[in-house]
Amino acid sequence: YQRRVRGNKSCYVHLYNYSDDKKYCLDLWNHKGLVKRYDLSGQDIHGPIYTDAEFSSLSVSQDGTNVVYLAEKKVEKSVSFFAENLKTGDKRGGVYDFNDLG
């Protein structure tokens, strides 16, 4: 996990492993205890959050109202060219960049 402290406020980013599912949470604490927990994985706005020692970044603003962290760009879900039923927003065909996620 990552931790940052600003005055009497603390901010933590945790990675929870539930069987095969990884879940990132942002916890905000003050001197009385846990104030708020945000499920960052459920937001579906970015990829995995960097929590390692080399690339991680977690910062709290001077007044303690904003938090900044570093995460991977969200990768669009691919659709088979031969799919019969396309959902709204699905894109078929086109030119794409290769991303090695392995």
Side-chain angles (χ1 to χ4, degrees):
Y1 72 92
Q2 294 178 295
R3 174 178 183 240
R4 291 293 178 265
V5 177
R6 176 77 64 189
N8 66 350
K9 298 177 183 176
S10 297
C11 176
Y12 297 86
V13 173
H14 296 274
L15 172 61
Y16 297 99
N17 288 313
Y18 298 108
S19 62
D20 292 336
D21 190 28
K22 291 182 179 180
K23 184 175 183 178
Y24 290 93
C25 291
L26 174 71
D27 295 343
L28 301 176
W29 294 73
N30 65 14
H31 62 284
K32 294 181 182 178
L34 182 65
V35 175
K36 183 82 174 175
R37 173 171 283 164
Y38 296 95
D39 177 8
L40 300 176
S41 300
Q43 302 287 328
D44 197 32
I45 54 178
H46 52 66
I49 297 171
Y50 289 110
T51 56
D52 62 342
E54 198 168 334
F55 294 109
S56 65
S57 178
L58 177 64
S59 186
V60 180
S61 65
Q62 201 67 14
D63 61 359
T65 59
N66 295 302
V67 176
V68 176
Y69 56 88
L70 184 61
E72 291 185 11
K73 181 180 176 182
K74 181 179 174 180
V75 178
E76 293 183 26
K77 295 179 182 173
S78 60
V79 178
S80 170
F81 183 80
F82 301 104
E84 294 291 325
N85 301 321
L86 293 178
K87 298 177 185 173
T88 305
D90 286 346
K91 187 176 174 183
R92 183 186 302 200
V95 178
Y96 297 94
D97 292 330
F98 174 73
N99 290 323
D100 186 10
L101 301 176

